[in-house]
Amino acid sequence: MASLAMVYGGGGPFGIAYGGGVAVGLQRAGIDVRTAPALGTSAGSWVAALMALGLGYDDIADIEMPPIPIRRRGAIAEVARSVFGDARHERVWACAFRIRGSGKGRVVLSGAEHDLADLCAASSAAPRLLPRHVVAGDTYVDGGVRSVTSIGLAPPAEHVIVVAPLARGVGGFGGTLVQRQLDREARAWRRANPNGTLTVITPSPEAAQLAGRSAKDLFDLDNARATYPLAEAQGERVGEALQRAQSA
């Protein structure tokens, strides 16, 4: 069993900026997130891939995105491939929801078996906003239709850190509903892992304000870029607190 595993939740470009910033802040504080097995959902799949490959938010921040909704099949896969190429990685997994093919339901796609670009395109194919994506003959939409974090599917580890861009304070009442699901998943994980440690990180009030009030606001690239330094600072603070607690 790994000592540390990461779970990165969804949230559009805002979620990539927030998750990426927190991850870098944690790394700076001495929490080795880059080598930890990671499960990503939607935006979180992009963060998991970036961290595993040693990339950063700067590698994606200035990439042009077509305005949403995007209807053209393959458009998001093209963006993902421009970042990740044909790379695969054995410590990256992504949650997606299979709607056609060998059964229906939530699926964990492996970065050892599929290109990271395909994981990201499938996991972030938000219905009515982004096109569905085909991987190995099966058709997928955003894993967030079932859960924006899927804590219960986290890689086994003594300590799991969950970075959840969508939570209370983000997106009005929708964020409150997501927080309730997040709390239920956290309680279930702790019951199933009584000897483990779970840390859940959600946006500070300043970062939450940049997320806006609707799903489309999460795709505001200027707000996403402004979110990154706030998230990085928060990640470093949390990482330092975790280090102090471990050494106490």
Side-chain angles (χ1 to χ4, degrees):
M1 179 182 292
S3 59
L4 175 67
M6 299 297 298
V7 173
Y8 298 106
F14 167 81
I16 297 175
Y18 181 75
V22 169
V24 168
L26 289 169
Q27 185 76 34
R28 182 172 295 148
I31 309 295
D32 193 9
V33 304
R34 290 195 183 276
T35 62
L39 172 70
T41 299
S42 195
S45 63
W46 296 72
V47 178
L50 286 169
M51 292 298 106
L53 295 179
L55 302 175
Y57 183 65
D58 287 346
D59 294 293
I60 198 171
D62 294 326
I63 289 179
E64 292 298 323
M65 285 276 292
I68 58 169
I70 300 171
R71 304 299 185 194
R72 183 172 65 83
R73 292 286 183 90
I76 298 305
E78 290 171 7
V79 174
R81 207 162 290 283
S82 74
V83 179
F84 305 118
D86 298 328
R88 298 186 175 192
H89 203 289
E90 69 278 4
R91 291 195 299 273
V92 177
W93 292 266
C95 279
F97 196 88
R98 186 165 52 207
I99 60 172
R100 186 178 297 119
S102 51
K104 296 182 179 180
R106 184 170 51 170
V107 175
V108 177
L109 297 171
S110 167
E113 299 175 2
H114 307 289
D115 292 355
L116 296 180
D118 284 320
L119 264 64
C120 292
S123 184
S124 54
R128 296 186 295 278
L129 292 177
L130 301 176
R132 59 189 63 178
H133 187 65
V134 176
V135 181
D138 292 343
T139 304
Y140 295 92
V141 297
D142 195 322
V145 302
R146 177 70 180 272
S147 168
V148 295
T149 53
S150 293
I151 296 173
L153 299 178
E158 298 169 5
H159 182 192
V160 173
I161 297 178
V162 180
V163 184
L166 299 182
R168 184 175 292 110
V170 176
F173 185 63
T176 300
L177 294 178
V178 172
Q179 182 69 54
R180 291 174 183 171
Q181 182 180 35
L182 186 63
D183 291 342
R184 287 195 299 270
E185 292 185 5
R187 288 193 297 269
W189 188 93
R190 290 183 173 112
R191 286 194 301 269
N193 300 272
N195 297 318
T197 302
L198 183 72
T199 300
V200 180
I201 305 172
T202 60
S204 65
E206 296 80 9
Q209 188 174 11
L210 290 170
R213 307 292 291 180
S214 73
K216 287 190 175 182
D217 289 337
L218 298 172
F219 287 80
D220 186 311
L221 298 183
D222 289 333
N223 282 350
R225 295 182 188 106
T227 298
Y228 179 81
L230 297 175
E232 185 177 352
Q234 183 185 4
E236 188 166 7
R237 291 194 302 271
V238 172
E240 290 171 347
L242 290 172
Q243 294 284 55
R244 288 195 298 271
Q246 187 175 8
S247 60

